[in-house]
Amino acid sequence: MNRAHVTELLADLITNSLDSSDASRVRRHLSHCVACRSEWERLQAAFDSLGMLAPAQTPSETLRNRILAGLPRRITALPSFARGVARHPLAAIAASLLLLAGLGVSITMNVHHYTAIRNGANFAQLAESSRILTVLHGTELAPAAHGMIVISENHSRGLLLAFGLPEPPEGYAYQLWLVRNDDLRNAGIVRVNAQGHVVHHIEISEPLNAFLNFRITIEPATGSDVPTGTRVMDGSLETVNM
Amino acid sequence: MKEPPPEDGLLIRRIADGDRQAVGILYDKYGRLLYSVALQLTRDKHCAEEIVQDVFTTVWRKATRFEPQKAALVTWMMRITRNRAIDELRKRKSRRDVSVGNILEVVEEGENFDFRNSRLMDPESSAMREWDRARVAKAVETLPEEQRVALLLAYFRDLTQKEIAEQLGEPLGTIKSRIRIGLRKLRKLLESSEVPEEQ
């Protein structure tokens, strides 16, 4: 799909006037075309601004208090998979690893992953000594994606597990970034198997708990020095009470 | 004298850090606007309040994911509100009011509201809201009526281009052009910082 074609379809996408197949094609194109994505974001923002014209109405006076009282504790504000992780992190990690192994994830992983998955003792050790958890959510480009990063107790190693990630566009790959204020660290290319599963080891020269946010972006297949593509997953550091 | 509310960028950072009080301040700034959008779409007060509650809960949960370079915070919240309202409408299979006269009245009705008399907003938020509304209203009024109607039907009635074409008895290609051209014009007008001059 060339860029001009996508540009002509952006208004259709914004007004929900494309069939699901065309909408998917346009979204795929937007995931790696910076120019079209920028145009889409600007048009979408203009469309959204129409809400300013809604005649002003007054909600009940109790709404504010209801909203504040109803805010969930952060750790419970997670998708079902992650809620399980938060409640029973060790069991969830073990279940995830069993699930991955059962699904034959190791077959499509690179040698590094394969060795790690085969070496169950390393994972068990990591899980037992882990106290910090980051839950990752898919963005609108990967709404079904969810995952977590477990950080070892001494903060030297991490493990990313993710599910539901679509294959990256041809010629592109996913890349993991660790974020600390305006500072970003490249945490490597993330490989996705045919089922959309990811197992990725994180080892960098700095303690992982120094990074408050984690994100995965679409980058050229060889990787980038800094993020250049669309964000597909992100999350912030959580500490799990075990 | 009451302090002006913090800027949106600071508020969203405070919310990302777990500051619940910042959610209250954000509600004071935008709660009424979001409720108005939700009510205009759903025509159901109870439902509109539930949607607003969901929106602030979503902001609380996803504050770390907000990307200010993509859209203003209020635009992001309005998008969540509209999407949530549309989900609700589709769930209820509500019949949508699509009359052309009615959709233009939405804008006219909004023009008559005096935000300065609002009990729930501080003066600065009221002024900002009034300025924002005037800016969008001026930009929309600059569009030819047929483009304006098509865009408003798409936004406030959640009609696809095909549905708009059917309702207006116009060819689909005509509606597509109106929306595409109208949206581009609107974007250009809104991206210029000044309120457009009266024609």
Side-chain angles (χ1 to χ4, degrees), chain A residues 20-164:
Chain A
S20 58
S21 147
D22 282 341
S24 297
R25 278 193 300 135
V26 173
R27 286 189 187 281
R28 268 202 305 277
H29 181 86
L30 294 177
S31 72
H32 63 270
C33 176
V34 175
C36 285
R37 190 169 65 251
S38 168
E39 177 75 358
W40 167 54
E41 284 163 0
R42 292 163 73 193
L43 288 172
Q44 181 72 59
F47 186 68
D48 291 334
S49 71
L50 291 171
M52 291 281 180
L53 303 178
Q57 304 287 342
T58 305
S60 63
E61 291 190 23
T62 60
L63 181 58
R64 187 184 195 275
N65 287 342
R66 277 188 279 139
I67 287 171
L68 295 181
L71 292 178
R73 286 175 56 225
R74 274 284 161 76
I75 199 70
T76 60
L78 305 170
S80 57
F81 167 78
R83 275 201 297 274
V85 171
R87 288 193 198 108
H88 311 289
L90 295 183
I93 291 164
S96 300
L97 295 174
L98 284 172
L99 175 65
L100 288 165
L103 291 171
V105 169
S106 58
I107 293 167
T108 57
M109 294 291 163
N110 64 27
V111 173
H112 181 56
H113 294 144
Y114 180 76
T115 308
I117 287 174
R118 203 173 47 179
N119 188 352
N122 283 348
F123 275 86
Q125 198 175 12
L126 175 64
E128 279 179 13
S129 60
S130 296
R131 292 293 184 277
I132 296 178
L133 173 74
T134 293
V135 173
L136 297 173
H137 308 262
T139 65
E140 58 190 358
L141 289 170
H146 55 272
M148 62 179 179
I149 292 173
V150 182
I151 298 175
S152 63
E153 196 169 36
N154 64 9
H155 311 140
S156 65
R157 290 180 299 155
L159 175 68
L160 162 67
L161 296 172
F163 303 86

Side-chain angles (χ1 to χ4, degrees), chain A residues 203-219:
Chain A
E203 287 187 62
I204 62 168
S205 56
E206 293 171 74
L208 292 174
N209 65 332
F211 297 90
L212 294 179
N213 294 294
F214 298 79
R215 69 181 61 146
I216 297 174
T217 59
I218 297 176
E219 302 296 337

Side-chain angles (χ1 to χ4, degrees), chain A residues 61-71, chain B residues 2 5-6 8 11-12 14-15 18-32 34 52 56-57 59-60 73 77 120-122 125:
Chain A
E61 291 190 23
T62 60
L63 181 58
R64 187 184 195 275
N65 287 342
R66 277 188 279 139
I67 287 171
L68 295 181
L71 292 178
Chain B
K2 196 178 168 186
D8 290 353
L11 276 178
I12 198 71
R14 282 174 56 182
I15 292 170
D19 181 349
R20 288 166 181 258
Q21 194 186 7
V23 178
I25 298 170
L26 194 66
Y27 175 85
D28 293 338
K29 284 182 90 171
Y30 299 120
R32 184 188 197 111
L34 302 183
V52 173
F56 281 94
T57 304
V59 169
W60 169 250
L73 178 60
M77 292 198 299
L120 298 178
M121 297 170 82
D122 59 77
S125 294

